[in-house]
Each structure stands twice: as C-alpha cells, then as structure tokens.
C-alpha cells in the first residue's frame, strides 16, 4: 500500500512539473540581468528587446542592472538563480571568454551557463588615417617597424583582437593603451599618435564618412565594404572569428522546453517592427542564433581563444 502511494505521489509530482512547464511563463516575471550600468550598449539592447519580448511571450520582462567585475557580477547573479526561466542575462562575449581563459575567476563557469540565443554581432575593421598612403594590411605591416595601434586597455576586446590577429599575420605591433574610450582611441589615429586602430565597423562609421579615417580591412569572411579587403582576401579567413556578441544565457540546468520558449520569444522580438527600426537607425547588426547554434559558437570561441592563451597572458 505504501509503495503504491509513493508511486502515486511521484506520478503526481511529474504531472505537476509538466503542467508548470507547459504554463511557462504564466507565473511571475522574467528578470533580464544587465551586467553593466544603465546607458551603455548592453543596457540599451536589453531595454529595446524587453517590450517586444513581453508582447511575444505574454509575460512581464524586467531589466535589472547588476554592474561590477567587468560583467562577471551580473553573470554570477544569473548563475545562482533557479533554473526555471524567470532569470536570464546578457553576456559580453568574447570579453568573459578571454577573462576565463587567462585564468581569472569569474565566479562561475561559462561552460555551465545554459545558452539561449545570440541577438547581435559587431564586426571589427582595421582603420588608418584618411589621407594615409597606407591602403592595405601589406602596406601597414611593410613599414620596417612595429605597427602602433591604439586601445583603451589590454583586456578590452579590441585590444585582444589586435594582439591575436596581428600575431596570426606575423606582424609586430606596439599596442598603445590607456585611452579613455574608443572615440579617443580613434582620434589618436587622426592625430598621428599611432598608425591604426581596430574597432567595430559601426563605431568607425562617422570618421570614415567624413574621410578622417580609412578602413583597409574588415574582419569578415566576405567583403562588406566596396573596395575594402576582407579577412579572406588577405588569406586569413579565421580572423572573421573576432566578433563582439550579445549572447543570452541562463542558470545551469534549465529545461529544454523553457529554453526553447525564451529563444522563440527573443527571435519574435528581434523580428518585431520596433526592434528592427531601432537596429536600422543605430547600425546594430542583428544576428539571431538559437540555443544549439549559440552553444556551438561559445564552444568554438573557447577553443579558438585558448590557442592564444600565452599571447593573451603577456
């Protein structure tokens, strides 16, 4: 009798769990963690997506800023949350990937995160002064001296991209860091303090449009700018792996059905008129990947950056 009662209770628990899963996200609100202070790029994209997610999922989505430790503190908060789909977060990739690979403790492991989707990607480009006689990577690296590049700090994703990509090219560099922001790093090229800078294509836009800067190579597999060589054109398509990604994840152990529902909600939000209009107006490159593709990308990036661990540790 006791055995039969136990089986009945177990079956009831399974049915209840299944019912709760089927009802998701009817209970409670979805907290969307932003690991940086209000006003930045990560904050903007989450707050742009949140209303469209609410419409698509029929749930309340509440952005919550948890800044600190270079984005790790927000990741820690998500990692500690219950894996019920009511806490998700946006992650700075490859920033956190590089931090983990170089031996720094994030307070959680990226390999344990439940990856849900990738929302956007930014592509890098290499730019020189607009009136420079340098028109290609070959010209830049053929000056008979190390190339001077400008960056904000040695741990910035742009600096990491510069160090590794020029090592792949076999081109010696001096990475001049300490600029307060990307804008200052680009102005350093205009002043002639450095030879070039590696920055996202969108960030370079206002300076290339005015003719103050000139892009000589994009970190892409195919040409995206007329007359500008791609990474493939210079014989190094692997450089296209250097991107900035806006990746969404959740606590370890989230049910696959819940992950799928959030992923579908994010895709519907991305395809909404409001988000599309915002992206077109700001130059953000929306690049949706589902959970499986996002996990595959994260695994690939870990392997890729691990190959250059010694370079990153210098």
């Amino acid at each position: 009798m006791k055995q039969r009662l136990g089986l009945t209770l177990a079956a009831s628990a399974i049915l209840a769990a299944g019912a709760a899963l089927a009802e998701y996200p009817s209970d409670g609100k979805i907290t969307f963690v932003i690991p940086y202070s209000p006003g930045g790029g990560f904050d903007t994209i989450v707050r742009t997506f949140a209303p469209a997610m609410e419409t698509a999922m029929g749930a309340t989505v509440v952005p919550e800023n948890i800044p600190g430790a270079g984005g790790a503190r927000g990741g820690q908060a998500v990692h500690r949350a219950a894996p019920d789909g009511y806490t998700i977060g946006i992650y700075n990739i490859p920033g956190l990937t590089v931090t983990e690979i170089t031996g720094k403790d994030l307070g959680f492991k990226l390999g344990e995160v439940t990856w849900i989707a990738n929302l956007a990607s930014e592509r890098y480009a290499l730019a020189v002064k607009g009136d420079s006689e340098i028109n290609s990577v070959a010209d830049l690296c053929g000056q008979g001296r190390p190339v001077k590049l400008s960056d904000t700090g040695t741990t910035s994703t742009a600096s990491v991209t510069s160090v590794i990509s020029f090592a792949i090219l076999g081109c010696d560099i001096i990475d001049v860091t300490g600029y307060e922001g990307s804008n200052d790093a680009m102005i350093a090229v205009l002043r002639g303090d450095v030879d070039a800078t590696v920055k996202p294509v969108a960030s370079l836009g206002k300076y290339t449009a005015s003719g103050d800067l000139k892009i000589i190579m994009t970190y892409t597999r195919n040409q995206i700018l007329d007359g500008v060589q791609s990474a493939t054109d210079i014989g190094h398509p692997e450089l296209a792996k250097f991107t900035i990604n806006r990746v969404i994840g959740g606590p370890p152990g989230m049910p696959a059905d819940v992950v799928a529902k959030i992923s579908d909600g994010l895709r519907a939000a991305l395809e909404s008129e409001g988000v599309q209009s915002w992206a077109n107006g700001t130059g953000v490159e929306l690049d949706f990947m589902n959970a499986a593709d996002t996990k595959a990308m994260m695994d690939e990036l870990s392997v890729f950056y691990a190959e250059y661990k010694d370079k990153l540790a210098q």
Side-chain angles (χ1 to χ4, degrees):
M1 182 70 177
K2 289 182 179 179
Q3 183 178 7
R4 186 176 299 173
L5 179 60
L7 290 172
T8 300
L9 291 172
S12 298
I14 292 170
L15 288 173
L21 188 61
E23 292 170 1
Y24 176 86
S26 62
D27 300 323
K29 63 178 187 257
I30 299 172
T31 298
F32 204 148
V33 173
I34 306 159
Y36 298 99
S37 300
F42 287 89
D43 184 70
T44 300
I45 194 170
V46 169
R47 293 183 186 278
T48 300
F49 266 75
M53 278 184 69
E54 290 185 337
T55 300
M57 299 183 68
T60 301
V61 179
V62 182
E64 181 178 348
N65 297 89
I66 306 180
R73 187 164 171 258
Q76 292 166 14
V78 175
H79 213 72
R80 291 192 300 265
D84 53 11
Y86 290 105
T87 302
I88 60 175
I90 188 167
Y91 294 73
N92 177 12
I93 304 298
L96 294 176
T97 304
V98 171
T99 299
E100 185 174 75
I101 285 172
T102 53
K104 298 178 180 67
D105 184 14
L106 294 174
F108 64 98
K109 294 186 182 300
L110 288 173
E112 295 176 355
V113 175
T114 300
W115 298 115
I116 299 170
N118 183 77
L119 299 186
S121 301
E122 288 188 73
R123 309 289 173 174
Y124 280 111
L126 176 63
V128 298
K129 194 173 180 181
D131 60 3
S132 172
E133 294 181 358
I134 293 171
N135 294 301
S136 67
V137 174
D139 291 344
L140 184 65
C141 294
Q143 300 179 91
R145 60 171 176 78
V147 175
K148 285 187 178 181
L149 301 174
S150 56
D151 277 308
T152 54
T154 57
T155 60
S156 71
T157 52
S159 179
V160 167
T161 297
S162 298
V163 169
I164 299 178
S165 63
F166 276 82
I168 291 172
L169 293 170
C171 182
D172 292 334
I173 67 168
I174 297 174
D175 196 25
V176 182
T177 59
Y179 294 97
E180 290 188 7
S182 294
N183 195 60
D184 292 327
M186 289 184 282
I187 291 174
V189 182
L190 306 184
R191 289 198 305 256
D193 297 347
V194 296
D195 300 305
T197 193
V198 174
K199 293 292 173 286
V201 175
S203 298
L204 292 165
K206 66 178 180 180
Y207 290 111
T208 56
S210 66
D212 291 320
L213 289 180
K214 174 175 58 178
I215 294 176
I216 60 172
M217 190 267 288
T218 59
Y219 286 68
T220 57
R221 289 191 179 277
N222 303 310
Q223 284 194 13
I224 61 172
L225 299 174
D226 290 339
V228 177
Q229 290 183 316
S230 68
T232 303
D233 292 330
I234 65 169
H236 289 280
E238 68 272 27
L239 298 186
K241 292 181 180 179
F242 291 104
T243 59
I244 305 174
N245 293 87
R246 305 299 188 236
V247 185
I248 309 304
M254 288 178 62
D257 285 2
V258 170
V259 171
K261 288 182 178 180
I262 299 173
S263 181
D264 289 345
L266 288 165
R267 181 196 289 273
L270 180 144
E271 294 172 350
S272 69
E273 183 178 349
V275 171
Q276 288 288 324
S277 176
W278 165 77
N280 291 333
T282 57
V284 171
E285 183 181 346
L286 296 175
D287 181 21
F288 184 84
M289 297 182 196
N290 62 24
D293 290 342
T294 301
K295 183 181 185 307
M297 177 191 73
M298 291 300 301
D299 292 342
E300 182 180 359
L301 287 176
S302 292
V303 172
F304 176 70
Y305 282 101
E307 293 178 8
Y308 302 97
K309 180 178 178 180
D310 292 341
K311 277 285 181 187
L312 293 171
Q314 290 179 1

